[in-house]
Amino acid sequence: MTLLAVERIKLFSTRSPWWCTLLALALPIGLASIIAANSNSDFPLTVSLTQTGYTFGLIVIMVLAALAITTEYRFGTIKSTFQAVPNRTAPLVAKAVVVTLLAGVVGEAAAFGALGISKLIKPDVALTLSSSTEWRNVAGVGLVYACGALLALGVGMLIRQTAGAVSILLVWALLAENLVTLIPKIGVKIQAWLPFHVADHFLNGGEPTPRGRDGGPAAVVYHLSPWGSLLYFAGVSLAVLIIGIVVTNKRDA
């Protein structure tokens, strides 16, 4: 518990986590309000559509998670931590727990906030969570944010530099996974196993999302169920985190 308290204090001792948290809430909720305000009979508002901006919040949360570890290397506080706790795995796991919990809470707040503001703007539209798919569309956002934070922490442990870690996360999530479809014949097959597309599949049940439609003319055929997709994304994120912890234990601080 002491390590958890220490990591919580360290996380919120700088301004960047506060700004990232606010931005991760503002982007999905703001985009949902714009979509709701401009929806009509030709562009009907749905529960899934209110969550369109979740990707932007996810990117911000991953930046927050990467900063949580890379700023310690930048300012040298990681050395003091490892001197106080020789077992390096313990504080790293504590940091992962704190950041993951924060990411999950922010994800749920952003998702239900986006749904709530859409209801306020369009009270005549039925936006009730009446099916398991609709519950997954909304409540699942927090789970995806939590997994994304784990992945970003692992990347931060491996890279150590903020610019490098953030660049890798942004390029991979926003560009690389979509460009894979340009590979002839096998591009779409590969894309079905890429982590962020699999996360999309969990939230949307395989329905095309704006990012998926931009990926190319061919539809992606997923081989996992929505909940299997979440387990896959969580497994990839956990694997990257474990690799980061192992490498950190072997490197000089």
Side-chain angles (χ1 to χ4, degrees):
M1 294 300 293
T2 301
L3 284 176
L4 292 175
V6 169
E7 292 301 331
R8 176 181 56 81
I9 293 170
K10 285 198 295 183
L11 178 63
F12 290 106
S13 61
T14 59
R15 294 180 181 179
S16 55
W18 294 100
W19 284 110
C20 287
T21 298
L22 291 174
L23 196 57
L25 290 170
L27 287 175
I29 295 174
L31 185 57
S33 65
I34 294 173
I35 291 173
N38 290 277
S39 63
N40 50 45
S41 58
D42 296 325
F43 186 68
L45 184 63
T46 63
V47 171
S48 179
L49 199 58
T50 65
Q51 304 303 312
T52 301
Y54 95 90
T55 302
F56 300 105
L58 174 61
I59 293 299
V60 177
I61 283 295
M62 291 196 298
V63 171
L64 184 156
L67 286 172
I69 184 67
T70 57
T71 52
E72 289 220 49
Y73 283 102
R74 178 184 176 186
F75 296 109
T77 56
I78 196 72
K79 294 182 180 180
S80 301
T81 299
F82 290 159
Q83 286 175 352
V85 185
N87 179 12
R88 295 184 177 185
T89 300
L92 293 176
V93 170
K95 184 182 293 293
V97 171
V98 170
V99 173
T100 300
L101 287 176
L102 174 63
V105 170
V106 171
E108 294 300 320
F112 282 97
L115 181 65
I117 198 168
S118 298
K119 287 183 177 181
L120 289 175
I121 295 173
K122 294 288 184 178
D124 55 325
V125 178
L127 293 175
T128 57
L129 302 179
S130 56
S131 69
S132 59
T133 299
E134 289 171 335
W135 272 104
R136 192 175 69 247
N137 288 156
V138 181
V141 171
L143 298 175
V144 171
Y145 277 28
C147 294
L150 283 180
L151 191 152
L153 268 176
V155 172
M157 291 176 191
L158 292 170
I159 305 301
R160 294 190 174 190
Q161 295 181 346
T162 300
V166 171
S167 296
I168 289 173
L169 291 168
L170 293 181
V171 170
W172 181 264
L174 298 177
L175 185 62
E177 288 200 359
N178 288 326
L179 291 178
V180 168
T181 53
L182 299 178
I183 302 175
K185 297 183 180 180
I186 63 171
V188 175
K189 295 180 181 179
I190 295 174
Q191 197 174 48
W193 294 101
L194 297 179
F196 292 104
H197 274 274
V198 173
D200 278 339
H201 178 61
F202 163 66
L203 291 176
N204 298 289
E207 297 177 1
T209 62
R211 187 173 68 180
R213 287 195 294 268
D214 292 338
V220 179
V221 178
Y222 295 95
H223 305 284
L224 300 172
S225 67
W227 286 102
S229 297
L230 175 65
L231 291 176
Y232 177 83
F233 184 47
V236 171
S237 301
L238 187 59
V240 174
L241 178 68
I242 291 173
I243 293 171
I245 291 175
V246 171
V247 171
T248 301
N249 275 292
K250 293 184 177 180
R251 282 178 175 174
D252 292 333

